[in-house]
Amino acid sequence: MRLHQGSSVITLSHDDAYQTAITDGFALMDTPINEAVLKKSLLDGSCGALATFEGWVRNHNNARPVDRLTYYGYEQLALNQGKLLIKKAKAKFDIERAVAMHRIGDLAIGDMAVWIGVTAHHRYPAFDACRWLLDAIKAEIPVWKQEFYTDSDESLWLSNNG
C-alpha cells in the first residue's frame, strides 16, 4: 500500500494494476503509464482498428500558467466505476476491447495522465468509443486534481473535468 500526499492510497502492485486494467478495463497507477503494455493487451487479429488517447499535463488551464499538478483518487471506487464504464462502452459501441489507466500522484508538465485504447473491427466504433470513454472517465471516475501555478503560490482543487 502506497500513500500519496496523505489522501490517495494505491493498494495494487504495479503488476496487479496492469493486470486489473487488462482484465477489467480500468486501473489507477501512481508511476508513469507504460502504454506499450496496455496496447499489447489489445492486439486482436479480428480487429482492424485501434483508437488510442493520451492525456498529458499541459502548461496552462483556464488562462492560468500551470507549473505542475497532483491527481488524487479513491482507488476502490475508481476501479468499480471504471469497470462499469468499460462494460457500458462495450454495450453502446460495436467494439471488441477497451482498456484505460489514469495516473495519480505528482505530475509534471508533459507527463501522461490518462491512456485509453479501444479495438474494433472498424474505425468509427473505435473512435466513437474512445472519445466517449474519455468523457465518461473525466465525469464519473473519482479523481481530483490540485493545480499549482507559476504566477503565484496559490493552488486550486479541481474536478477531473476542471
Side-chain angles (χ1 to χ4, degrees), residues 4-159:
H4 301 280
Q5 293 82 41
S7 68
S8 295
V9 175
I10 294 291
T11 60
L12 296 176
S13 70
H14 293 163
D15 289 343
D16 287 344
Y18 280 101
Q19 191 55 49
T20 297
I22 291 165
T23 303
D24 295 342
F26 183 83
L28 296 178
M29 178 58 75
D30 60 357
T31 58
I33 296 169
N34 184 344
E35 68 272 19
V37 171
L38 301 173
K39 183 178 175 184
K40 185 177 177 183
S41 76
L42 292 170
L43 294 176
D44 180 339
S46 73
C47 293
L50 166 65
T52 65
F53 175 82
E54 294 181 3
W56 302 339
V57 177
R58 65 179 177 265
N59 67 0
H60 66 280
N61 190 28
N62 298 324
R64 290 201 66 187
V66 173
D67 179 54
R68 60 189 163 83
L69 56 82
T70 300
Y71 279 106
Y72 298 82
Y74 183 32
E75 184 184 43
Q76 195 55 55
L77 183 56
L79 295 176
N80 292 341
Q81 287 295 104
K83 188 175 182 177
L84 284 174
L85 291 178
I86 296 297
K87 193 179 222 180
K88 285 181 185 177
K90 288 179 179 176
K92 186 173 177 69
F93 302 97
D94 187 17
I95 62 174
E96 292 302 310
R97 299 219 41 236
V99 172
M101 186 169 271
H102 201 296
R103 269 289 292 278
I104 65 162
D106 297 329
L107 281 77
I109 303 303
D111 283 349
M112 186 189 314
V114 64
W115 189 90
I116 300 168
V118 177
T119 56
H121 296 164
H122 303 286
R123 64 186 178 269
Y124 291 121
F127 285 138
D128 294 345
C130 191
R131 182 179 179 146
W132 182 88
L133 271 171
L134 173 63
D135 291 341
I137 286 169
K138 285 181 150 284
E140 298 184 32
I141 298 292
V143 170
W144 307 269
K145 64 183 172 183
Q146 184 179 15
E147 284 186 339
F148 298 88
Y149 303 100
T150 60
D151 62 354
S152 76
D153 291 333
E154 179 185 34
S155 67
L156 290 178
W157 284 88
L158 303 166
S159 72

